[in-house]
Amino acid sequence: AAAIAAALVTAAVPAQAASSAAQPKMAATVSGHAHAAPAYGGSGLLQWGGGPIVTSPKVYIVYWGSQWGTSSITNDPSGEAALQLSFFQHAYGSGDTFFTSQTQYCEGSSPCVGHPSSSPVGGTWLDSGVKAPSRPSDSQIASEASRAASHFGISGTNVQVIVDAPHGVVPSGFGTQYCAWHDVNGSLPYTKMPYVTDAGAACGANFIPATNGINGNDEGITIVGGHEYAETLTDPDAGNGWLDAAGYETGDKCAWI
């Protein structure tokens, strides 16, 4: 699915500075249908806020909690793990013509957002040693991202940890206020990725007419995942990279249209 383009949002949600107590970045939910009027948000063009961008992207995915399974993933009714992994494994080189659009964003004139020549996926981890809370808080999600970073032995702006919540785990606001969001914990960029198909059409199911055997119920997995990845590339510190005057990031400018 086209990673960021899609239908109508309830209300576009601006980004806030990472140092503030405001809510982190969010991908708003669909409230219309594929033929609704555009509902992109924000104010004016994106401007560089003086912060870093991602020059050499690496993605690390943690499947949070024993609800996914113990020694392997056995509880994934929509097949989200495999689809998401394949999506990011192909986000490189000449075969990917979507994320190259983010390379126009730089720290001043240089360096610019990097586009990898090989798969940006650095690793995956089934963290079955803990059970994900049924309604995890922001701090619990951030802690799991840091736990995963320790497992992978990673740090810095160029890495992104995606915290995949299992089926049935519902963070507050998921499916009604947002579909996913990205933030930073210390210097670690991370994305909170709920089990997107649990929200159905509110988070992209059947957003684009399905063809060629594609399961329309799964479309939100890549739409939402691509949105947050693009915003992490251009604003990894979650508030001082590329934003417009209203605080909207690159994915927000054309979300659900």
Side-chain angles (χ1 to χ4, degrees):
I4 296 180
L8 182 66
V9 290
T10 52
V13 182
Q16 304 292 337
S19 59
S20 76
Q23 289 296 312
K25 279 29 84 208
M26 299 179 183
T29 59
V30 180
S31 64
H33 53 80
H35 304 291
Y40 47 83
S43 176
L45 299 176
L46 299 179
Q47 302 288 332
W48 179 49
I53 45 85
V54 175
T55 59
S56 182
K58 278 293 182 183
V59 175
Y60 296 84
I61 303 171
V62 55
Y63 308 108
W64 183 20
S66 56
Q67 296 99 316
W68 283 102
T70 51
S71 58
S72 63
I73 293 176
T74 56
N75 181 28
D76 184 7
S78 296
E80 292 202 12
L83 179 57
Q84 178 196 53
L85 180 60
S86 177
F87 176 71
F88 286 113
Q89 285 175 330
H90 291 87
Y92 72 92
S94 60
D96 168 31
T97 58
F98 177 78
F99 289 115
T100 52
S101 65
Q102 305 307 307
T103 61
Q104 65 185 295
Y105 300 107
C106 310
E107 295 179 11
S109 58
S110 68
C112 300
V113 167
H115 186 64
S117 59
S118 60
S119 169
V121 177
T124 64
W125 177 39
L126 172 59
D127 185 9
S128 59
V130 297
K131 183 177 181 179
S134 60
R135 292 185 68 83
S137 66
D138 292 354
S139 62
Q140 288 172 318
I141 297 164
S143 293
E144 179 62 14
S146 294
R147 176 178 163 91
S150 296
H151 170 83
F152 291 119
I154 58 172
S155 62
T157 298
N158 282 318
V159 306
Q160 175 188 172
V161 172
I162 301 176
V163 180
D164 278 357
H167 170 55
V169 167
V170 183
S172 179
F174 169 56
T176 58
Q177 299 174 25
Y178 67 89
C179 295
W181 47 258
H182 79 96
D183 205 349
V184 63
N185 187 21
S187 60
L188 176 69
Y190 71 97
T191 293
K192 169 55 185 161
M193 186 64 62
Y195 200 81
V196 174
T197 56
D198 281 353
C203 289
N206 297 298
F207 181 76
I208 300 169
T211 58
N212 299 323
I214 295 173
N215 185 345
N217 292 325
D218 295 340
E219 291 174 356
I221 299 167
T222 52
I223 292 172
V224 174
H227 178 122
E228 298 304 325
Y229 179 60
E231 293 186 342
T232 300
L233 292 176
T234 55
D235 188 25
D237 273 2
N240 60 10
W242 283 86
L243 306 97
D244 70 12
Y248 290 77
E249 297 170 303
T250 178
D252 302 320
K253 301 297 284 185
C254 59
W256 308 115
I257 60 174

